[in-house]
Amino acid sequence: MRPHSRGLRVQVFVGEADQAGRIPRYQAILEYLRREGAAGATVVRGVAGFGVNSKIHTAAILRLSMDLPMILTWVDAPGRVERLLPGLVELAGSGVVTVEEVGVAAYGGRRLEQLRFDLPVGDVMTRSVVSIDDAAPVRAAVGLLLDRDFRALPVVDRDRRVLGLVTNGDLVRRGKLGARLELLAAMKEETRTSVLEHLDAQQTVRDVMSVDPTTIPAGATLAEATHLMADRHLKRVPVVDGDGRLVGILARSDVLRAVGETFPREGAAHEDHAGAQTVGEIMRHDAPIVLADAELGTLLDAVTSTRLNRAVIVDADDRVLGVVSDADIIASVDPAAANGLLGALMRTAGRPTGSGLTAARLIRRPLVTIAQTATIAEAARLMIDERRKVLSVTDPSGRLLGIVDRADLLAATGEALGELTASPADDDDDG
């Protein structure tokens, strides 16, 4: 979390005697937040209050009852709050959970020198893993992924040993899902139902999953994991214990979040490695660009021209107005038009004509840009905080210079970690 930024404050009101399993509920929530990398949380005991059951808890009857109100306060970046809030609400049980926006005037964070590049993957990974049985219907896998931020599920046996991974691509190629998950999620209910009706009800996860997926031990280092993911172009890796059992997931966003939070000082990346250091040095110049008044057909050609599945919209002076993804297009049109566009976006049909829509009318989210002089860590932090997969790189006048995506940042981070962890002996061997 950055100082002088906007954050979210979450407060949880529970009773001291409330239990989550065998431990107090407030303690279970606190442990969950710590385990998932939250910026920090505090629990205080109230002196009096009553909750949903109208039972008054006060210090005055402390000798008779230890069930005093407990208030947990957690302030964090909006993106992380959105990620962890569902799990927190579940843990809170019948407790009250509030969320409000706050300004963050100061936040120390971890210092660069405190980051150990031999940090175990187990300290960075996401532990709340959603997995699926290989005998489950494909439709169940689609249902589990539709409302999530991630697009792949580990497939495990009854002992939680990893058997495979079912991904967005697996569901489209072998499961015959007629639309990628991000497009499916953006569709109106009527269109989505129509697509799901074509799934084979007899097909199971076992029939479509990728077998023998790459896994990584929880004890592997962050540097090793980053190199592995960058070299093999992996978006996420199942993390296993010594017996091969699934204990977590390491996603590209987990790595970038760790990098963004651990390099709080501007210019830190410059000081510590001589490789790719700034956004300007790693950005790509082949961004799909579309003028604001371009018609839908032109926009579709640009969006489907790269693996990014999005295009940058600019005005006549090359100033960036926004970014439009394939999901933005689907979400902006009526169900009848969405059906016609789906084939073009899945690259199975030509471009539709005569919609009357222009590129500028399809921009749905506020613009997020970054300067070419920004560090890799600053880009990683901005990308995670704003929940973006692509950032437009602009000059001081707002003119487009290039773009960076999560894969670019992961590759640059891998290079940086490699240089920072290389020993003199390693250098000698290379020579």
Side-chain angles (χ1 to χ4, degrees), residues 139 142-143 146 177-178 184 189 191-200:
R139 190 182 293 258
V142 174
L146 257 184
L177 183 63
L184 208 55
E189 186 64 33
T191 312
R192 183 189 305 175
T193 300
S194 170
V195 173
L196 293 177
E197 283 175 350
H198 289 86
L199 285 175
D200 182 348

Side-chain angles (χ1 to χ4, degrees), residues 90-381:
E90 185 175 347
L91 278 173
S94 60
V96 175
V97 180
T98 63
V99 182
E100 56 191 318
E101 187 174 293
V102 295
V104 179
Y107 176 68
R110 287 176 289 179
R111 307 292 296 178
L112 171 63
E113 54 272 22
Q114 290 177 308
L115 175 64
R116 295 179 55 193
F117 296 107
D118 59 352
L119 193 69
V121 166
D123 286 4
V124 180
M125 69 183 184
T126 298
R127 294 177 181 272
S128 302
V129 186
V130 179
S131 61
I132 194 166
D133 188 277
D134 65 340
V138 167
R139 190 182 293 258
V142 174
L144 282 174
L145 288 169
L146 257 184
D147 296 324
R148 314 276 180 172
D149 287 336
F150 47 87
R151 300 301 181 207
L153 286 173
V155 184
V156 297
D157 63 16
R158 63 177 58 184
D159 295 322
R160 292 193 64 75
R161 289 190 172 83
V162 180
L163 301 174
L165 202 64
V166 57
T167 69
N168 209 347
D170 295 329
L171 293 171
V172 171
R173 288 190 297 271
R174 291 187 282 273
K176 308 299 182 188
L177 183 63
R180 293 187 299 277
L181 290 161
E182 53 271 25
L183 296 180
L184 208 55
M187 289 175 180
K188 306 289 189 299
E189 186 64 33
E190 174 185 344
T191 312
R192 183 189 305 175
T193 300
S194 170
V195 173
L196 293 177
E197 283 175 350
H198 289 86
L199 285 175
D200 182 348
Q202 304 303 313
Q203 201 169 34
T204 66
V205 168
R206 186 186 303 120
D207 299 325
V208 304
M209 69 181 186
S210 298
V211 296
D212 298 324
T214 299
T215 61
I216 192 164
T221 67
L222 177 61
E224 291 170 339
T226 304
H227 282 304
L228 177 72
M229 296 174 73
D231 291 346
R232 301 190 185 184
H233 306 289
L234 301 174
K235 294 181 179 178
R236 57 194 59 79
V237 185
V239 183
V240 296
D241 64 14
D243 294 322
R245 295 186 177 89
L246 180 70
V247 294
I249 280 282
L250 185 71
R252 216 161 44 184
S253 57
D254 295 320
V255 177
L256 297 181
R257 185 178 299 110
V259 171
E261 291 180 353
T262 318
F263 287 77
R265 294 169 298 148
E266 187 170 353
H270 296 270
E271 299 168 9
D272 292 296
H273 70 92
Q277 298 167 341
T278 66
V279 168
E281 291 174 89
I282 66 166
M283 69 182 181
R284 59 184 65 206
H285 299 275
D286 58 346
I289 303 169
V290 174
L291 286 170
D293 59 356
E295 294 185 349
L296 180 59
T298 302
L299 177 61
L300 286 171
D301 287 343
V303 166
T304 57
S305 66
T306 71
R307 62 175 173 76
L308 299 174
N309 296 319
R310 46 188 40 82
V312 183
I313 314 304
V314 299
D315 65 14
D317 294 321
D318 277 345
R319 277 188 275 270
V320 180
L321 303 176
V323 174
V324 172
S325 71
D326 51 4
D328 292 331
I329 297 174
I330 286 293
S332 299
V333 299
D334 60 48
N339 279 325
L341 290 171
L342 197 54
L345 291 171
M346 295 297 291
R347 300 177 176 86
T348 58
R351 60 155 75 172
T353 58
S355 70
L357 290 171
T358 62
R361 290 180 57 190
L362 293 166
I363 297 173
R364 291 171 55 84
R365 296 198 292 172
L367 179 64
V368 178
T369 63
I370 192 164
Q372 62 176 330
T373 54
T375 65
I376 295 166
E378 288 168 331
R381 197 161 47 216

